[in-house]
Amino acid sequence: MVRSAARGLLAGATGTVALNLVTYGDMVLRGRPSSSMPAETADRLAGQAGIELGDGEEKAGREEAAGALLGYVAGLGTGLLYGLLRGRGSRPVWLAGPLLAAAAMAASDLPATALGVTDPREWSSTAWLSDVVPHLAYGFTTASVYEALR
């Protein structure tokens, strides 16, 4: 079980790097700014927990950093859970990849939705693609690395 968890964690870390590379590549290609959703989610979570993030630039910096850390928690946590739940049998990457993508998307988008930061029902097709494509990179990379580590 410990080995499966470690493989899942390493696979999730690699998947997270893939997600970030695709996201930043998209930002470079389209010249778009980063999403404010992670920072806003972090701010609302901190507020609900009674944690003061400061004022002005200090607060903005902490929100941005905490938002990025939440992304790492989602990516590493999804990989870890995959390792723990997967078992010993083989799962084809073509099946596991999209499932891991959906799980990682849920891990980041559901809290933001629950906190009122975003409403996916109002997203444009471009916004959906900007979320789905990097998460598919995460899912396929995580599944492939997990299989390679077996």
Side-chain angles (χ1 to χ4, degrees):
M1 179 182 261
V2 172
R3 286 183 182 177
S4 293
R7 282 192 292 267
L9 193 60
L10 288 170
T14 308
T16 302
V17 169
L19 181 146
N20 286 336
L21 288 170
V22 171
T23 299
Y24 291 126
D26 176 50
M27 290 168 62
V28 167
L29 286 174
R30 293 193 298 139
R32 71 171 179 86
S34 62
S35 171
S36 63
M37 189 173 82
E40 290 177 38
T41 301
D43 180 50
R44 294 205 185 167
L45 283 172
Q48 286 190 349
I51 298 170
E52 180 63 41
L53 297 179
D55 295 311
E57 287 184 27
E58 181 180 81
K59 180 180 181 184
R62 285 188 176 135
E63 287 172 346
E64 190 169 334
L69 290 172
L70 287 174
Y72 282 104
V73 168
L76 295 170
T78 300
L80 176 66
L81 285 174
Y82 179 68
L84 290 172
L85 298 175
R86 191 178 155 291
R88 293 181 184 240
S90 181
R91 302 288 184 277
V93 170
W94 63 265
L95 176 62
L99 294 175
L100 282 162
M105 267 183 78
S108 62
D109 294 344
L110 288 177
T113 301
L115 291 166
V117 173
T118 189
D119 184 351
R121 296 173 297 184
E122 297 175 359
W123 292 1
S124 68
S125 57
T126 302
W128 271 102
L129 281 172
S130 295
D131 201 35
V132 170
V133 172
H135 281 95
L136 283 171
Y138 169 87
F140 282 110
T141 301
T142 301
S144 296
V145 168
Y146 189 90
E147 289 303 313
L149 292 172
R150 292 183 66 236

